[in-house]
């Protein structure tokens, strides 16, 4: 049996959204296993504190929490990592890719965004480099970029 990583409610086989908190389920399905493997082959990815990886392969990758009622669906749903409890906003931050350069911008989140030890101001871009530690509220992630020396 699978469980929601956000609220720990038991999920039915094939269920994509948690019936309790509406978090998108990312359990051990063939599709999700393939997504994780694709992320491992990406040039840049975001690694959540538990080891999960999300490919950063678009011009803009929005980080936050899904809210189906408000029709908010970020590219990386951090709600499944207890994002609500850790202070992640629904539209918390965005990673921007311009050619091979990456930057992070806080989208006016309630609990702020920190890159390494520096709190970033909403609306201002902060350059990202291999190994940068990012706190979205209190949720920790690490930015990796294979092009700048970070191994995959």
């Amino acid at each position: 049996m699978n469980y929601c990583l956000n609220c720990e409610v038991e999920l039915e086989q094939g269920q994509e959204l948690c019936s309790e908190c509406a978090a998108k389920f990312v359990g051990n399905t063939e599709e999700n296993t393939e997504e994780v493997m694709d992320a491992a082959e990406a040039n840049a990815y975001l690694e959540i504190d538990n080891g999960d990886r999300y490919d950063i392969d678009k011009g803009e990758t929005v980080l936050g929490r899904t809210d189906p009622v408000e029709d908010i669906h970020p590219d990386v749903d951090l709600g499944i990592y207890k994002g609500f409890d850790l202070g992640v906003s629904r539209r918390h931050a965005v990673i921007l890719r311009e050619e091979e350069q990456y930057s992070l911008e806080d989208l006016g989140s309630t609990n702020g965004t920190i890159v390494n030890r520096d709190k970033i101001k909403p609306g201002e871009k902060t350059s990202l480099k291999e190994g940068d530690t990012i706190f979205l509220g209190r949720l920790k992630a690490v930015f990796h970029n294979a092009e700048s020396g970070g191994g995959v």
Side-chain angles (χ1 to χ4, degrees):
M1 186 54 71
N2 294 315
Y3 296 88
C4 176
L5 296 174
N6 186 47
C7 69
E8 300 177 3
V9 165
E10 192 173 301
L11 300 173
E12 299 294 325
Q13 186 66 24
Q15 188 174 346
E16 291 185 21
L17 290 178
C18 175
S19 57
E20 184 69 24
C21 70
K24 184 176 179 185
F25 178 60
V26 294
N28 294 328
T29 65
E30 275 185 40
E31 179 181 306
N32 289 328
T33 301
E34 185 177 310
E35 287 175 12
V36 170
M37 290 181 75
D38 287 346
E41 296 170 5
N43 284 338
Y45 62 93
L46 190 66
E47 184 175 12
I48 308 304
D49 204 23
N50 74 345
D52 286 355
R53 297 177 177 186
Y54 291 92
D55 189 9
I56 307 299
D57 62 352
K58 301 186 315 182
E60 294 186 2
T61 302
V62 176
L63 314 173
R65 293 184 293 110
T66 294
D67 183 344
V69 174
E70 296 292 327
D71 197 29
I72 298 172
H73 303 279
D75 299 306
V76 177
D77 181 7
L78 299 170
I80 62 173
Y81 304 104
K82 300 199 180 292
F84 179 82
D85 294 336
L86 295 174
V88 177
S89 294
R90 288 171 279 196
R91 289 183 39 84
H92 196 103
V94 61
I95 296 177
L96 303 161
R97 176 183 177 186
E98 298 172 26
E99 296 182 23
E100 294 306 314
Q101 300 294 316
Y102 295 87
S103 60
L104 181 78
E105 180 181 332
D106 183 275
L107 297 174
S109 65
T110 301
N111 294 302
T113 303
I114 295 172
V115 176
N116 297 318
R117 294 177 183 224
D118 299 320
K119 185 169 183 174
I120 64 173
K121 294 179 183 175
E124 290 185 12
K125 292 181 187 177
T126 298
S127 293
L128 291 175
K129 64 185 180 319
E130 166 60 29
D132 278 346
T133 300
I134 301 168
F135 283 93
L136 303 144
R138 293 184 318 279
L139 188 139
K140 180 182 176 184
V142 177
F143 176 77
H144 293 283
N145 184 358
E147 292 296 317
S148 66
V152 182

